[in-house]
Amino acid sequence: MTYQDQAPVAIISRNDESRLGTPLLVFLHGYGSNEQDLMGLSQQLPEEFTYLSVRAPLQAGPGYSWFPLTQEINYSIESVARSVEALWALLEPLSQQHSSITLLGFSQGMAMATSLARYQRDAIEAVVGLSGFAVDPKHLDLFDDAKLADKPLPMFWGRDLADPVITRDKIEYTLGWVPGHTELTSETYPQIGHSVCMEEIQDVADFLNRVVLKDK
């Protein structure tokens, strides 16, 4: 099943006129999870934002995924492209109603967040990636990395160096990609494994204040 087969499911922190003109932060959950998973983080993040959490389109066990994975975290780049285009179809109308769009993705959600920024750089203010990776586009024409080289993406990347889930090849590709395409804030958190911690979320809040809100 894809976005084309069903209406996207999302929850939003406020859905009245008070959200108009506010910065929008979009939560993108990890493989096998759902739109409820990350929404609680909004309680620890700046109140100036409106928070939108989107459910991935594909069934994956008890939850959902943005694109199919194997145990080795291989994936079809074409399936990534389809989900990126569908996610942008959901967010594009909202981009006209908010002052900016920032993406926060956990695990596979980080792959989606960085991919959408590579597709629509001018529309994305910043990306927060937690315990995840950026995808190797191979011969995919959807990504415009040249634009990111000219206009680097403000990005926060938090992880445990010993993350047991994200495979080494995915980390190595991401480490090679970020220097030429992002203005990177990188932090590591020993012993969190494939998860997040309160120290990390405070660092994310600081990043959002400094980069998106600019301490206003």
Side-chain angles (χ1 to χ4, degrees):
M1 183 173 290
T2 68
Y3 271 125
Q4 287 71 31
D5 301 320
Q6 63 176 8
V9 176
I11 52 177
I12 195 164
S13 61
R14 47 184 167 182
N15 196 23
D16 55 29
E17 291 186 356
S18 68
R19 71 176 176 83
L20 299 178
T22 63
L24 182 69
L25 187 143
V26 181
F27 290 120
L28 304 171
H29 63 76
Y31 183 90
S33 188
N34 60 56
E35 72 281 6
Q36 301 285 344
D37 184 43
L38 299 176
M39 199 63 172
L41 298 181
S42 63
Q43 302 302 313
Q44 310 299 325
L45 298 176
E47 63 182 9
E48 290 89 343
F49 284 87
T50 294
Y51 293 93
L52 177 76
S53 191
V54 184
R55 178 189 294 178
L58 305 177
Q59 194 77 41
Y64 301 87
S65 72
W66 299 100
F67 47 88
L69 292 177
T70 68
Q71 289 183 346
E72 292 77 29
I73 317 188
N74 290 323
Y75 49 86
S76 160
I77 193 63
E78 291 78 12
S79 65
V80 175
R82 288 192 294 272
S83 269
V84 167
E85 290 174 322
L87 180 60
W88 179 239
L90 171 67
L91 296 180
E92 184 176 18
L94 294 174
S95 70
Q96 309 303 316
Q97 302 171 8
H98 291 271
S99 59
S100 64
I101 295 180
T102 297
L103 308 173
L104 186 156
F106 174 77
S107 192
Q108 192 186 60
M110 176 179 166
M112 281 295 294
T114 51
S115 294
L116 182 57
R118 297 162 83 175
Y119 175 46
Q120 294 290 336
R121 171 65 187 95
D122 290 339
I124 304 303
E125 184 77 13
V127 162
V128 174
L130 307 179
S131 300
F133 61 99
V135 303
D136 182 350
K138 299 180 170 55
H139 303 296
L140 184 68
D141 295 330
L142 188 71
F143 294 170
D144 189 354
D145 277 359
K147 179 166 283 187
L148 272 77
D150 292 336
K151 186 181 178 183
L153 174 72
M155 178 174 158
F156 178 95
W157 185 17
R159 62 191 179 103
D160 184 343
L161 294 176
D163 188 320
V165 172
I166 307 302
T167 53
R168 188 64 206 169
D169 61 311
K170 305 296 185 293
I171 295 297
E172 288 176 354
Y173 174 80
T174 307
L175 288 170
W177 176 78
V178 292
H181 303 95
T182 73
E183 295 175 352
L184 182 65
T185 300
S186 178
E187 300 289 349
T188 58
Y189 305 91
Q191 300 182 338
I192 68 168
H194 191 65
S195 65
V196 300
C197 64
M198 289 307 301
E199 178 187 358
E200 182 177 25
I201 299 309
Q202 182 56 60
D203 289 341
V204 170
D206 293 343
F207 172 82
L208 294 173
N209 277 312
R210 174 171 52 86
V211 172
V212 181
L213 302 179
K214 300 177 174 62
D215 296 320
K216 292 183 179 179

